[in-house]
Amino acid sequence: MQPDQTAVAKNRARARVVRRLALGVGGAGAVALVAWAMRPKPLPVELAPVTRGAMTVTVNEDGTTRIKDRYVVSAPLLANVARIELSPGDAVKKGLVLARLLPIEAPLLDTRSRSGAESRVLAASAAERQAHTGIERAKVALELAQKDHDRVLALAQKNAIPAVEVERSEYALRSRREDVASAQLGAAVADHELEVASSALRRTTAAKGGKPGAPGGGEQFEVTSPSDGLVLRVLHKEGVAQPGAPLLEVGDPAALEVVVDILTADAVHVRAGAKVRLERWGGEHALAGHVKSVEPSAFVKLSAMGVEESRVNAVIDLDEPRERWRGLGDGYRLEARIVVWDTADCVKAPEGALFRRDEGWATFVVKGGVAELRRVKLGRRNGDVAEVLEGLAEGDSVVLHPSEKVIEGARVVGY
């Protein structure tokens, strides 16, 4: 074979090899392209970060306002009540005449009425002594709270106790002061009741002796207000009233508190002095308050679903000046958020990213576009976020509300 023919043959063989390689590479590329096109697409998921910061756990329930010191003014005698001209909302002063009792056809007071009047005097006298004793007891409690507060302030200046202890001491001192004021008002009302009962007894004695009070006489018995405030309700507008029948209800709207009925399971975590945020009461801003007390006795109440629930009342005092809540009245509805736990620093994750797994909790953490199942240990929860004790770190991305398609190792893309 001639040299040029040999070269041509070699070139043809080389070309055949190149074509075969090209066809092989092209086929492999096509297969790879088809495989890449047919592989599962990443699942779109909603991602949320794990953060570090402050966290608060609250008990949220509806509540109603009520006047602290309210008094039902009753008729001390069997008599005919002249038409009461006062209406709910009218301002009254201590000693103002609220109602006038007039004689009825029978004598206004008889022997049996006198005996009842004497009993009421004795009861009113005992109530008066008890009320004045309550003042002394409240003053002693106030002195003790003041001494405790002074000691707390001294320790706080040395940074020996946390700031929350100072706040609790201030709440306790404020509550004791309010208890003294309430006890003094209660004593004033007890004095008034004793005066009314004594006056009724004097009228009984006068009637028995044939003095003013006989039928046809012009005698009137005036029922006066025991304290300053407003007329809340008129319970008996006019007509014959039996002894002890309620006539009006009087109270001071400046002394307002909030009553919130909470589940007993939540009540065990609520402490006196706990901070409270009052919302949706009609004003532009939320109101601050604190828990004064949790009543010791629970009651059963039907829920909106018709389920019987054991509940107990938490009594809340307002910390805001009255100018901020002047529009509130007795029996107004609002929403209360009672703080049962808070911290300034913790790792927290959205509750929507957490789900039960076996006996614990788990979540999906996304790293490099792949979902990784991570078991976690939780602390407190507030409905929005949960405190993470183990399993997650600040900056991790977790899947919110993962569907059944999100499994260990699944490719995901966040939005």
Side-chain angles (χ1 to χ4, degrees), residues 109-167:
L109 296 166
D110 53 19
T111 303
R112 185 172 60 181
S113 299
R114 182 175 184 276
S115 178
E118 290 175 346
S119 298
R120 285 190 290 274
V121 169
L122 293 176
S125 179
E128 182 194 36
R129 291 194 300 270
Q130 184 179 22
H132 285 280
T133 302
I135 293 178
E136 298 303 320
R137 184 167 56 250
K139 288 182 177 179
V140 171
L142 175 61
E143 292 177 1
L144 180 59
Q146 183 66 60
K147 292 178 180 178
D148 289 341
H149 185 61
D150 293 340
R151 284 193 292 268
V152 168
L153 291 179
L155 292 174
Q157 291 176 353
K158 300 176 182 179
N159 295 323
I161 58 174
V164 66
E165 295 297 333
V166 179
E167 293 181 359

Side-chain angles (χ1 to χ4, degrees), residues 93-361:
K93 294 290 185 180
K94 181 179 180 180
L96 178 72
V97 176
L98 302 178
R100 288 181 168 82
L101 307 185
L102 305 175
I104 54 179
E105 294 183 359
L108 184 64
L109 296 166
D110 53 19
T111 303
R112 185 172 60 181
S113 299
R114 182 175 184 276
S115 178
E118 290 175 346
S119 298
R120 285 190 290 274
V121 169
L122 293 176
S125 179
E128 182 194 36
R129 291 194 300 270
Q130 184 179 22
H132 285 280
T133 302
I135 293 178
E136 298 303 320
R137 184 167 56 250
K139 288 182 177 179
V140 171
L142 175 61
E143 292 177 1
L144 180 59
Q146 183 66 60
K147 292 178 180 178
D148 289 341
H149 185 61
D150 293 340
R151 284 193 292 268
V152 168
L153 291 179
L155 292 174
Q157 291 176 353
K158 300 176 182 179
N159 295 323
I161 58 174
V164 66
E165 295 297 333
V166 179
E167 293 181 359
R168 290 175 180 171
S169 177
E170 290 175 349
Y171 289 147
L173 182 60
R174 184 185 306 168
S175 296
R176 299 292 81 77
R177 288 173 179 164
E178 292 175 352
D179 289 344
V180 171
S182 180
Q184 289 173 339
L185 185 56
V189 173
D191 294 340
H192 173 79
E193 294 293 339
L194 178 59
E195 180 182 352
V196 170
S198 300
S199 178
L201 179 60
R202 290 193 295 270
R203 293 297 179 91
T204 304
T205 304
K208 185 178 180 180
K211 296 180 180 179
E219 183 183 19
Q220 294 184 2
F221 185 90
E222 296 179 344
V223 178
T224 58
S225 174
S227 66
D228 298 344
L230 299 179
V231 176
L232 303 180
R233 292 189 299 167
V234 178
L235 305 173
H236 190 103
K237 193 69 174 178
E238 63 180 330
V240 175
Q242 297 293 325
L247 302 179
L248 304 95
E249 193 172 12
V250 178
D252 184 5
L256 204 66
E257 63 186 8
V258 178
V259 181
V260 182
D261 62 281
I262 58 179
L263 291 171
T264 53
D266 294 329
V268 297
H269 303 293
V270 177
R271 297 287 182 267
K275 295 180 181 179
V276 182
R277 183 180 175 88
L278 304 172
E279 302 174 344
R280 301 188 68 178
W281 58 277
E284 297 180 359
H285 306 287
L287 300 176
H290 68 276
V291 176
K292 179 181 180 182
S293 63
V294 178
E295 295 181 354
S297 180
F299 54 90
V300 176
K301 180 179 180 181
L302 284 178
S303 68
M305 302 297 293
V307 179
E308 289 187 350
E309 296 176 336
S310 182
R311 291 181 167 267
V312 65
N313 284 332
V315 183
I316 298 168
D317 280 340
L318 295 168
D319 293 336
E320 304 280 358
R322 194 187 175 204
E323 288 70 23
R324 296 199 63 183
W325 51 268
R326 185 176 294 276
L328 278 177
D330 184 57
Y332 283 37
R333 178 192 173 277
L334 43 72
E335 292 184 4
R337 299 180 181 270
I338 305 173
V339 177
V340 295
W341 180 85
D342 63 349
T343 182
D345 181 56
C346 73
V347 177
K348 52 188 179 179
E351 288 208 22
L354 304 167
F355 53 88
R356 300 291 296 186
R357 178 57 61 98
D358 298 331
E359 298 298 324
W361 291 90

